[in-house]
């Protein structure tokens, strides 16, 4: 029962104190989880990905980017301790000792696991699957630059028309929507 609670994603990142959310290791995990969440929309529609990734596509790392299990948080704390983070350079904290005890002597490294999952997912989408690549790699509606828009890395979608943009281009406004509003007299 306790082991099941330890691995269930019950803690929302938004409910953690700001000083914890802003720690580099937590921010890095959140960035990786956000990328996985954006990749999910592409991978889920691919029959090859569902076969290759199987049960991983239903994992909360893809589905609930803001929710963490106690095991995830313990792993992040262990990594922070190993890097000399919040517990201080080289000091062993009581919390870190408890985390190591809960995770076992080998522990697990959430960041390494997320980085591996992002790498494998990216390889499938960009390098291995034409279907996923066609859904993920677009040309910017505004600038038309040769630098492709990779929807889960540097891309954004206009909420009104669905056009693909580089993140910084969409901040300038959607040229298609602006043209439609202008033609309608708005």
């Amino acid at each position: 029962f306790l082991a099941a609670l330890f691995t269930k994603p019950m803690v929302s990142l938004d409910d953690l104190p700001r000083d914890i959310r802003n720690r580099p290791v937590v921010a890095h995990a959140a960035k990786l989880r956000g990328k996985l969440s954006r990749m999910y929309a592409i991978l889920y529609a691919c029959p090859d990905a569902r076969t290759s990734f199987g049960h991983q596509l239903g994992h909360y790392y893809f589905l609930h980017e803001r929710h963490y299990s106690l095991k995830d948080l313990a792993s992040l704390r262990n990594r922070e301790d190993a890097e000399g983070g919040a517990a201080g350079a080289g000091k062993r904290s009581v919390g870190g000792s408890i985390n190591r005890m809960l995770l076992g002597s080998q522990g697990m490294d959430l960041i390494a696991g997320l980085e591996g999952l992002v790498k494998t997912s990216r390889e499938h989408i960009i390098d291995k699957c034409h279907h996923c690549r066609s859904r993920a790699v677009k040309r910017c509606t505004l600038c038309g630059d040769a630098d492709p828009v990779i929807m889960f890395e540097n891309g954004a979608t206009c909420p009104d028309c669905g056009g693909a943009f580089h993140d910084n281009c969409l901040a300038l406004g959607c040229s298609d929507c602006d043209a439609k509003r202008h033609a309608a007299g708005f």
Side-chain angles (χ1 to χ4, degrees), residues 40 42-57 124 131-132 135:
Y40 176 79
I42 297 161
L43 291 168
Y44 187 74
C46 175
D48 292 337
R50 285 196 303 270
T51 302
S52 301
F53 289 87
H55 70 281
Q56 287 180 328
L57 284 180
H124 174 85
H131 173 75
C132 287
R135 295 188 68 217

Side-chain angles (χ1 to χ4, degrees), residues 14-23:
D14 300 321
D15 292 337
L16 295 174
R18 178 173 275 124
D19 66 315
I20 293 175
R21 286 193 313 257
N22 291 338
R23 289 181 179 168

Side-chain angles (χ1 to χ4, degrees), residues 86-138:
K91 290 184 191 173
R92 293 286 184 196
S93 70
V94 173
S97 298
I98 292 169
N99 291 341
R100 281 185 293 287
M101 193 169 62
L102 290 170
L103 289 172
S105 60
Q106 293 181 12
M108 62 78 103
D109 186 350
L110 177 65
I111 297 291
L114 291 174
E115 286 172 342
L117 196 51
V118 166
K119 181 179 185 248
T120 303
S121 299
R122 188 182 196 289
E123 285 171 355
H124 174 85
I125 293 169
I126 301 297
D127 301 329
K128 295 180 180 175
C129 181
H130 177 71
H131 173 75
C132 287
R133 182 175 171 77
S134 68
R135 295 188 68 217
V137 180
K138 307 285 184 187

Side-chain angles (χ1 to χ4, degrees), residues 63-82:
L63 299 174
H64 305 288
E65 72 178 276
R66 305 292 293 172
H67 289 86
Y68 290 77
S69 70
L70 294 174
K71 185 176 182 178
D72 295 336
L73 296 174
S75 172
L76 293 175
R77 178 60 188 257
N78 281 350
R79 186 175 184 109
E80 186 176 67
D81 283 351

Side-chain angles (χ1 to χ4, degrees), residues 143-163:
C143 73
D145 191 358
D147 180 32
V149 175
I150 300 175
M151 296 310 294
F152 55 85
E153 288 182 352
N154 66 344
T157 304
C158 174
D160 296 326
C161 71

